[in-house]
Amino acid sequence: MMTKRMSAGDGQQPPGACSNNNAPPLPPPSTTTSMTISSKPTLITTPNLRFLIMDAPRQSNLHLYIKECRRHHVTDIVRVCEPTYLGAELKSAGIELHEMAYEDGHSPSEEILGRWLDLVEGRFFGSGGGGSKDATIAVHCVAGLGRAPVLVAIALMEFEKMDAVEAVMMIRRNRRGAINEKQLQYLEGYKCRRGGGGGGCACVIL
């Protein structure tokens, strides 16, 4: 039973979003953001896990995100919103792109949760990590404040035995405005899917 409560983050996700419909054509490059990263990626680390939370790259500045990913030994990028860039450049850089889009303002489906937890478990606890302690999974939504941090919080709860408040506090300390009140409520009611972790999850023992 949770005894701690938290208020919503300083910011909300920008409207607009992601859907699971067929992706529209890529938007034209922005002249103001073509050579910059709009929001600095945030590294979240524990003894067992490494995540890089980002906003969405655009085709015109993707090379800057790839450079940042290389600095942090990123092996995989999880995209949870509609495409704003093509994946070929990531493949050339040795980074695998995983499509796990879910709708803005909603919680991830069981199918998305299963794929996300499989990736995290395989990369950090199985043969997928190649034994490297520095392997990192990058994950992004539009602004890197909602859907992407929610997935990272779930991983912290599942594999590092954190409760929802601990996971959210850890993320917010490093990424201001992440995770709004509705998303926090979802995390507080989250039930562990994996038996090996999630001491703070609302696990049901039959």
Side-chain angles (χ1 to χ4, degrees):
M1 179 176 181
M2 300 288 294
T3 58
K4 297 176 282 185
R5 292 291 302 165
M6 298 178 64
S7 61
D10 300 61
Q12 299 288 331
Q13 287 177 251
C18 297
S19 69
N20 292 324
N21 298 329
N22 292 332
L26 295 179
S30 166
T31 56
T32 59
T33 61
S34 60
M35 296 304 292
T36 61
I37 291 179
S38 358
S39 174
K40 184 179 178 182
T42 302
L43 186 65
I44 304 292
T45 64
T46 71
N48 299 304
L49 307 172
R50 286 174 61 89
F51 298 105
L52 192 66
I53 301 174
M54 312 189 305
D55 62 352
R58 303 186 75 81
Q59 193 63 42
S60 55
N61 64 5
L62 180 59
H63 63 289
L64 298 177
Y65 284 84
I66 289 175
K67 183 177 179 180
E68 192 73 11
C69 286
R70 282 174 167 159
R71 276 203 325 118
H72 294 291
H73 309 285
V74 168
T75 54
D76 305 84
I77 288 183
V78 175
R79 178 161 61 190
V80 298
C81 61
E82 66 188 12
T84 52
Y85 58 89
L86 301 174
E89 199 171 341
L90 293 178
K91 185 175 181 181
S92 299
I95 299 171
E96 186 173 353
L97 177 63
H98 304 265
E99 301 285 4
M100 298 188 194
Y102 65 96
E103 193 172 353
D104 192 15
H106 292 70
S107 56
S109 66
E110 286 297 323
E111 187 265 339
I112 294 294
L113 284 172
R115 290 175 56 206
W116 169 245
L117 295 176
D118 284 345
L119 175 62
V120 174
E121 188 169 18
R123 185 60 68 206
F124 298 117
F125 300 98
S127 59
S132 171
K133 294 289 185 182
D134 292 331
T136 303
I137 296 174
V139 55
H140 78 79
C141 48
V142 173
L145 296 177
R147 286 161 286 181
V150 163
L151 288 186
V152 172
I154 287 169
L156 295 174
M157 293 166 67
E158 288 276 4
F159 299 107
E160 292 292 3
K161 301 184 179 180
M162 293 186 186
D163 63 31
V165 171
E166 291 170 328
V168 172
M169 284 180 64
M170 181 179 188
I171 293 168
R172 284 183 179 172
R173 277 197 302 268
N174 295 281
R175 194 162 183 90
R176 185 181 179 193
I179 303 180
N180 63 28
E181 181 68 22
K182 182 178 179 181
Q183 291 159 340
L184 174 61
Q185 289 172 358
Y186 164 74
L187 291 170
E188 286 179 325
Y190 177 82
K191 294 179 174 59
C192 289
R193 271 69 173 171
R194 305 294 159 107
C201 298
C203 295
V204 177
I205 301 176
L206 300 177

